[in-house]
Amino acid sequence: LGLLVAKERPDLQQQKVELVKNLAAGRKQLVDLEDEILRLLREVKGSLLDDADLLLALERSKVTSEEVTAQIDEAVEVEQTIDAAREVYRPGANISAVLYFVLSDLTQVDPMYQFSLDAYFDLYSMSIDEAPRNSIVTERVKALNEYHTYAVYRNTCRALFEKHKLLFAFLLTCRLRLNEDNLDPLELDFFLRGGTVLDKSSQAPNPCSDWIDEASWDNVTEVSKILPAMSGFDSSFEQYGRDWKTWYGTALPENEEFPGEWENKCNEFQRLIVLRCLRPDRVTAAATTWIINSMGHQKYVEPPAFNLDAIFAESVPQNPLIFVLSAGVDPTRMLRECAGNNGMGDRFGSIALGQGQAPYATAMIDEGVKDGKWVFLANCHLMTSWLGALEKIVDDLSSRSPHEDFRLWLS
């Protein structure tokens, strides 16, 4: 929220910062006055009424305390006014926070997926600058949310293995729908985990054992018990067993109507749960459609093609760009073309790391930071002993204020 308001309404953010400082100073002054009075009381000798210095200090403290208290009360009122003005930007900050936690959860998919908060702030700042402008704040925030959501999707997909891109789109959609209270957490949990029957003796008998296997029936009976919206789902197989079998046997069951009242009873996500119970082979296709319908656009299931020019356009000098490559792949030629396309052809330098190359690599980085050059360090894995020093160089880039054209590429 602070970042968004600082860029959209810097006047409000400055007032907020000054107000916090003034409130802190005023409250400290009150504490100091109380401490001074206690000190004088400890040091008084004889009658309190005979100590002129103490009486004078008490009178002075009373006046000062009243003035400071009045200032604090006034500042609190102003703070409430500023906070109310800032609140119109809250939906934008909320979505931004939700999206970041989606990224942080990706470490559970693969521990290599690490996303720093600083890099995310850079991306959000870029979205604020580039999202469509609108004089109506609510419309501006809405446009920013749409722009930044896709920017996060596009930017993150570049860092994911192909097999995880649809999973990321699904997680992104789920978290946004949960944030809007448009998705039941219990339903999502069942969809992810399925159902396990602990006591088979209390389980309803399977009326369609000729085509529903034991694992599928376990899911059917458990979903009927766990999810209120699916209550009675297991008993529908006694009433509509033949219709369910016909549905089950179709090539694209996600496009077919459910038997009986279940066609109108289930929303789109609950239909996914039914598929998960009976036709798990069609879940991926149906989930893809759910993502498109929920996000309102096909682009969230179509990861952008690899484009170095686009990656460069979204990069900043302080953050290195890292290629994680398969054995035998060399991006040098592609990187040289990208440098040429962006007017950096004569300011591009590369070095293949190996024994004794550390001083040359360090010198190239120092020169690039100063003069605004691109530096490509290939095969970082061949110099593991130097990676600690390289990490410190990267950490210090922000404090060195590198030239705006500088970029550090690593593979």
Side-chain angles (χ1 to χ4, degrees), residues 31-76:
V31 172
D32 290 343
L33 285 172
E34 292 171 359
D35 291 342
E36 177 66 12
I37 291 170
L38 290 173
R39 184 186 67 79
L40 291 170
L41 287 172
R42 282 197 307 269
E43 295 175 355
V44 71
K45 295 177 181 179
S47 173
L48 296 177
L49 298 177
D50 294 336
D51 193 321
D53 291 339
L54 175 61
L55 295 176
L56 185 62
L58 288 172
E59 183 62 28
R60 191 167 58 246
S61 296
K62 179 183 177 183
V63 173
T64 304
S65 176
E66 289 174 350
E67 291 176 353
V68 171
T69 301
Q71 291 172 3
I72 290 175
D73 291 342
E74 182 181 352
V76 168

Side-chain angles (χ1 to χ4, degrees), residues 94-95 98 145 173-183 294-295:
N94 173 258
I95 293 298
V98 167
N145 286 344
T173 307
C174 287
R175 189 63 70 91
L176 290 172
R177 296 294 82 81
L178 287 169
N179 184 63
E180 297 167 354
D181 291 328
N182 287 332
L183 178 60
S294 297
M295 300 299 287

Side-chain angles (χ1 to χ4, degrees), residues 66-254:
E66 289 174 350
E67 291 176 353
V68 171
T69 301
Q71 291 172 3
I72 290 175
D73 291 342
E74 182 181 352
V76 168
E77 291 181 10
V78 175
E79 183 180 35
Q80 292 172 348
T81 303
I82 293 174
D83 286 342
R86 283 161 50 96
E87 279 303 305
V88 294
Y89 294 98
R90 177 73 63 181
N94 173 258
I95 293 298
S96 177
V98 167
L99 295 175
Y100 176 72
F101 285 115
V102 175
L103 300 186
S104 66
D105 285 347
L106 287 178
T107 54
Q108 300 177 52
V109 177
D110 191 301
M112 188 182 74
Y113 296 151
Q114 305 278 343
F115 297 87
S116 77
L117 187 57
D118 288 342
Y120 185 75
F121 276 151
D122 289 338
L123 178 62
Y124 190 45
S125 180
M126 201 176 301
S127 294
I128 295 172
D129 292 338
E130 297 180 5
R133 297 280 169 183
N134 197 307
S135 58
I136 302 173
V137 176
T138 53
E139 292 300 315
R140 161 66 173 161
V141 171
K142 182 180 177 182
L144 172 60
N145 286 344
E146 292 176 359
Y147 185 93
H148 183 59
T149 299
Y150 185 64
V152 169
Y153 172 76
R154 183 183 63 236
N155 190 276
T156 305
C157 278
R158 297 182 184 130
L160 303 181
F161 293 119
E162 198 66 33
K163 64 182 179 180
H164 292 148
K165 292 179 180 179
L166 182 61
L167 174 60
F168 169 60
F170 179 77
L171 294 174
L172 186 76
T173 307
C174 287
R175 189 63 70 91
L176 290 172
R177 296 294 82 81
L178 287 169
N179 184 63
E180 297 167 354
D181 291 328
N182 287 332
L183 178 60
D184 187 336
L186 278 177
E187 293 180 359
L188 176 59
D189 186 69
F190 187 90
F191 179 79
L192 296 175
R193 301 173 186 273
T196 303
V197 178
L198 300 177
D199 183 10
K200 293 282 187 178
S201 63
S202 63
Q203 184 182 26
N206 182 354
C208 304
S209 56
D210 57 320
W211 59 274
I212 300 180
D213 60 30
E214 182 179 354
S216 296
W217 186 246
D218 286 351
N219 282 325
V220 169
T221 55
E222 286 302 291
V223 78
S224 302
K225 289 194 298 183
I226 295 173
L227 302 183
M230 303 298 291
S231 178
F233 180 59
D234 53 348
S235 60
S236 72
F237 288 86
E238 296 180 7
Q239 185 176 4
Y240 305 113
R242 185 177 299 175
D243 295 332
W244 275 118
K245 185 176 182 180
T246 301
W247 173 88
Y248 175 85
T250 58
L252 303 174
E254 65 273 19

